[in-house]
Amino acid sequence: MVPDMGNNLKTLRERKGWTVEDAASAMGLSKSGYEKIENGSRRLTLERIARAAQIYQVPQSDVINDRTNTGVVGEVVRGGRVRFFSPETPTLLVAPAPFDATIDTVALVVTDGDALPGVAEERWFVYHGTRRHGLPEDWIGDLCVVGLPDNVVLVRRPFHGRRAGTYDLFTLGTEPLLGTEIIWSAKIDWIKPR
């Protein structure tokens, strides 16, 4: 048996759009047996880790919640603008993972002291999870990474704009951006000094 540990089975299952019953069937387990493994009340065996990796088509390390570090995927520069690192470039910089990090948690590093005044200092990490299409209603007013038309990506607090389907984006130190469309968003979960 593998020692007590968390796992990412719920995240992997939800990412695939499966119910607990779907996942249990794919793993060859009863619904209650799968639920016990997913919620951590029953430990994963090495065989079940391998099976989960196979059915979710991920490396075995993504099944186990052994997240002490997470990849840094880009930087936040002056004005809260986000520049992502090239996908072809291997991740050389890592950040300590927040305690509740999932396999979808990534970090941005603040590389300019005026990037997020009053929110994060230079060299701090800003963490977010999965990108969502548009902006979920319950993220209104929360600090988010937002993808706008023309591949502009910013860290801002979005609020409803005057016209339907548009948003007003706010942050300290810069003029608000009014009446813009949000293509995708990712909610900021953590901000930590480096």
Side-chain angles (χ1 to χ4, degrees):
M1 295 291 273
V2 174
D4 285 333
M5 66 180 79
N7 64 67
N8 293 312
L9 291 177
K10 182 176 181 182
T11 301
L12 293 167
R13 175 176 60 78
E14 289 174 346
R15 190 189 281 172
K16 220 164 173 62
W18 284 359
T19 64
V20 171
E21 292 84 0
D22 295 333
S25 175
M27 290 280 293
L29 299 168
S30 68
K31 178 184 174 201
S32 67
Y34 181 84
E35 286 175 317
K36 288 177 184 175
I37 292 172
E38 185 176 279
N39 70 26
S41 62
R42 181 180 291 165
R43 290 183 282 175
L44 279 165
T45 63
L46 293 174
E47 294 79 20
R48 288 190 177 140
I49 292 170
R51 178 70 182 141
Q54 179 185 23
I55 67 166
Y56 292 119
Q57 300 173 336
V58 297
Q60 290 184 18
S61 60
D62 280 356
V63 174
I64 303 167
N65 190 14
D66 185 15
R67 301 268 170 226
T68 55
N69 291 309
T70 190
V72 177
V73 297
E75 60 185 342
V76 186
V77 299
R78 186 173 300 269
R81 186 175 286 273
V82 175
R83 289 194 302 221
F84 289 106
F85 301 138
S86 168
E88 291 81 33
T89 305
T91 302
L92 302 176
L93 185 60
V94 294
F99 76 92
D100 60 349
T102 70
I103 60 174
D104 295 320
T105 302
V106 294
L108 302 167
V109 63
V110 178
T111 57
D112 186 313
D114 293 326
L116 298 171
V119 175
E121 307 274 328
E122 191 168 330
R123 297 174 44 93
W124 284 26
F125 293 115
V126 177
Y127 298 86
H128 69 81
T130 305
R131 291 182 187 186
R132 302 268 183 93
H133 180 73
L135 179 77
E137 186 65 26
D138 58 337
W139 291 0
I140 296 291
D142 290 333
L143 193 61
C144 295
V145 178
V146 292
L148 309 179
D150 298 325
N151 294 319
V152 173
V153 181
L154 303 169
V155 175
R156 294 286 191 276
R157 288 189 190 279
F159 294 90
H160 288 291
R162 289 186 179 194
R163 287 187 342 223
T166 67
Y167 298 90
D168 297 340
L169 307 177
F170 295 89
T171 192
L172 294 174
T174 64
E175 290 293 318
L177 184 57
L178 305 176
T180 189
E181 180 185 359
I182 293 178
I183 308 297
W184 62 265
S185 60
K187 186 176 175 188
I188 303 291
D189 298 315
W190 281 88
I191 299 174
K192 288 175 65 171
R194 190 168 176 181

